[in-house]
Amino acid sequence: MSTFLSVVLLTGGDDATVLRTARSVALDPDAPARLVADAASVSADGRAAVDAALPGRVQWTSGPLHTRVAAAQGRYVGLLAPGDEVEPGVLSAVAEYLTARPATDVLYVDEQWAAPGIEGICTKPGWAPHYLEGWDYLGRLCLVRSTLVEQVGGLGDGPAAEWDLHLRVTEVTDRVEHLPVIGVTRLQPPSTQPDVVEAGRRAVAARYERLGVAADVEVAHPAGYLRVWRALPDPPPLVSVVIPTGGGRREVRGESVLVVETAVRSLVERTTYPRWEIVLVTSENTPADVVDKVQEIAGDRLTVAPVSGEFSFSHSVNEGVRLARGELVVLLNDDTEVVEPRWLDRMVAVAQDPTVGAVGAKLLFEDGTIQHVGIVHDDAWLPVHAHRVGPDDASHFGAKIVDVDYLAVTAACVLVPRQLYLELGGFSEELPMAFNDVDFCHKVVAAGRSVVCTPFATLYHYESSTRVADVRPFERQYLVDKTVELAKHDPHVNHRSVR
């Protein structure tokens, strides 16, 4: 049997853990796979037991981890810790997948480990490059073409060697694919020890050094989630915050408030970003005293853009962007309130990545639960908010903390380069109210740019958590006609579990 896959064991382990992994590989007897293990980590009796469990399919080597990877003879190489178990049939499935799709350079599967409830069941999205900079979600088992490993200089040593390899290989290829099956049961969950977290931070920082991009990498959460701050030019770009308003009121924390006043006051009093203006888009029914109140708060930052006719969110934001002076524009609902003072610093920093075309924010309901951290697609390929009404915490593998790639984000708060907005034709005025943001984000993706939600940028959105979207039949039909084919490529649809 030729070696198609080399499964290399990380440093450490003992007779029992290495045998545990070997026995799991043995449950897939026809897989073209070989286990590469450290001879020094087990006793002579231990090696004999492993050889007996996996006859003719063990390659014993000595020396550091990088030498074991270099000695591996498989066309693809993957890493496991001693004691990790491969699920029966997975290695054969991986080999079949890679044989059928020979252009694939990187293939990863889902994984699990012991944890309360479903907290240890890691069903992963498809290729999401910004997510990989915040957490090594490729994890185990991740198979990388051996020639590519050699091309990027082989495997490093240290506690973040896997993450470092995943970062380096994805700098030279985007042929990364996901096989949505639970393929590995880890003996231990990903480490959150401070030295391991710091090693991961250094690995991501080294990526930016290799790319020649000035950036600071910080630990966003002790569980090992990271945040990258790309450097801003001096002076930073002017941002135009476009706010359509009818001057409506809503009950917030038990009091009736003029929502646009709350939004603008929070912008002025909390936003730390230095260069921004407001384009207030008013309708025929917006009371004059509302405009006066906003003028009083915003001062010379304010431009008023009146529009006539029946209210259309799409027409309003298009007119606001037309009059905007900023290099970047933020579309912002009038029923929002800034929570994180550096929200705009964050969104602008993410937009410094030239591959990014739209940046969304984390929006919270009044009770602090999640209203938005990105948009995914349901079983009918229609858009829904990820993690809606869930807790604002570190669950679901950092997806509410780190930057994550999506096909769409809500326009209740979204930042877009103004020139790109205009090139793409802005928001479709065929969709005056619903789904215009999803349609626009799909145009961004179709143009070859990324849509990223950065949860550090946090605002309240005073929309009721029990509100049912008022979607008219023609709006739903528009989505079916224009966006379903792209929606079928949503990286967050894990076909293993929903189809």
Side-chain angles (χ1 to χ4, degrees), residues 14 16 39 44 57 65 128 176 206 220 237 290 313 322 340 345 370 384 492 494:
D14 54 25
R57 298 174 65 193
L65 175 61
V176 181
V290 170
F313 183 84
R322 187 182 70 83
E340 167 52 54
D345 304 76
I370 296 291
V384 293
H492 295 276
N494 191 305

Side-chain angles (χ1 to χ4, degrees), residues 333 335-336 361-375 384-392 410 412-413 459-465 467:
N333 274 26
D335 57 349
T336 56
K362 175 163 66 180
L363 303 179
L364 304 177
F365 288 116
E366 184 179 342
D367 65 2
T369 58
I370 296 291
Q371 194 262 344
H372 171 269
V373 283
I375 291 174
V384 293
H385 284 204
H387 310 294
R388 187 176 184 273
V389 303
D392 180 20
T410 180
C413 181
L459 301 88
Y460 282 115
H461 184 197
Y462 295 120
E463 176 185 78
S464 171
S465 61
R467 173 180 174 271

Side-chain angles (χ1 to χ4, degrees), residues 201 204-205 208 213-219 227-231 346:
R201 191 201 66 77
V204 175
Y208 276 83
V213 175
D216 290 325
V217 181
E218 66 182 16
V219 177
R227 184 178 300 121
V228 178
W229 289 84
R230 286 179 176 246
R346 181 64 199 157

Side-chain angles (χ1 to χ4, degrees), residues 321-343:
V321 172
R322 187 182 70 83
L323 295 177
R325 297 182 299 119
E327 178 184 336
L328 303 171
V329 293
V330 169
L331 311 184
L332 186 68
N333 274 26
D334 68 349
D335 57 349
T336 56
E337 180 180 1
V338 172
V339 174
E340 167 52 54
R342 292 190 293 161
W343 72 282

Side-chain angles (χ1 to χ4, degrees), residues 13-317:
D14 54 25
D15 290 7
T17 54
V18 174
L19 181 59
R20 177 188 177 107
T21 301
R23 284 174 171 165
S24 74
V25 175
L27 293 175
D28 198 351
D30 297 324
R34 183 180 291 261
L35 186 69
V36 183
D38 179 15
S41 67
V42 295
S43 67
D45 289 344
R47 288 195 296 275
V50 169
D51 286 333
L54 204 57
R57 298 174 65 193
V58 182
Q59 180 183 345
W60 295 102
T61 64
S62 299
L65 175 61
H66 71 266
T67 63
R68 293 199 293 285
V69 171
Q73 300 168 356
R75 197 176 305 172
Y76 289 85
V77 176
L79 300 171
L80 292 178
D84 291 350
E85 294 178 284
V86 183
E87 295 298 311
V90 163
L91 293 175
S92 289
V94 164
E96 180 181 347
Y97 188 103
L98 291 169
T99 300
R101 298 166 177 82
T104 304
D105 285 326
V106 179
L107 177 66
Y108 59 99
V109 301
D110 298 339
E111 58 187 299
Q112 63 185 358
W113 52 83
I118 62 171
E119 292 178 17
I121 303 175
C122 187
T123 53
K124 305 169 184 178
W127 175 225
H130 292 88
Y131 189 23
L132 182 62
E133 293 183 352
W135 188 60
D136 183 21
Y137 85 96
L138 298 187
R140 302 175 191 161
L141 179 65
C142 178
L143 282 304
V144 180
R145 190 185 299 276
S146 298
T147 54
L148 200 60
V149 176
E150 182 179 357
Q151 178 184 334
V152 300
L155 184 74
D157 289 309
E162 293 170 272
W163 195 355
D164 177 62
L165 177 64
H166 299 159
L167 291 166
R168 284 187 288 121
V169 297
T170 55
E171 289 165 23
V172 298
T173 184
D174 61 358
R175 295 197 294 261
V176 181
E177 300 200 27
H178 173 220
L179 183 60
V181 297
I182 298 289
V184 170
T185 298
R186 288 196 189 216
L187 181 62
Q188 299 292 338
S191 177
T192 58
Q193 292 299 313
D195 63 320
V196 177
V197 173
E198 172 57 20
R201 191 201 66 77
R202 290 196 303 269
V204 175
R207 173 192 186 93
Y208 276 83
E209 292 174 7
R210 288 190 298 272
L211 297 175
V213 175
D216 290 325
V217 181
E218 66 182 16
V219 177
H221 189 277
Y225 305 127
L226 306 181
R227 184 178 300 121
V228 178
W229 289 84
R230 286 179 176 246
L232 302 185
D234 186 16
L238 176 66
V239 180
S240 298
V241 182
V242 177
I243 308 176
T245 188
R249 304 186 70 88
R250 182 166 295 172
E251 187 171 291
V252 176
R253 300 184 185 92
E255 295 183 11
S256 176
V257 300
L258 177 63
V259 289
V260 71
E261 178 183 358
T262 299
V264 172
R265 193 176 297 283
S266 73
L267 287 173
V268 171
E269 294 180 354
R270 298 176 193 163
T271 300
T272 57
Y273 187 80
R275 298 192 67 219
W276 56 276
E277 66 171 6
I278 294 174
V279 180
L280 188 73
V281 186
T282 59
S283 66
E284 291 179 347
N285 297 321
T286 304
D289 62 342
V290 170
V291 178
D292 292 342
K293 173 60 72 174
V294 173
Q295 180 73 67
E296 176 187 331
I297 299 167
D300 59 8
R301 292 186 187 270
L302 181 67
T303 296
V304 179
V307 295
S308 58
E310 183 179 357
F311 179 74
S312 162
F313 183 84
S314 293
H315 177 61
S316 294
V317 295

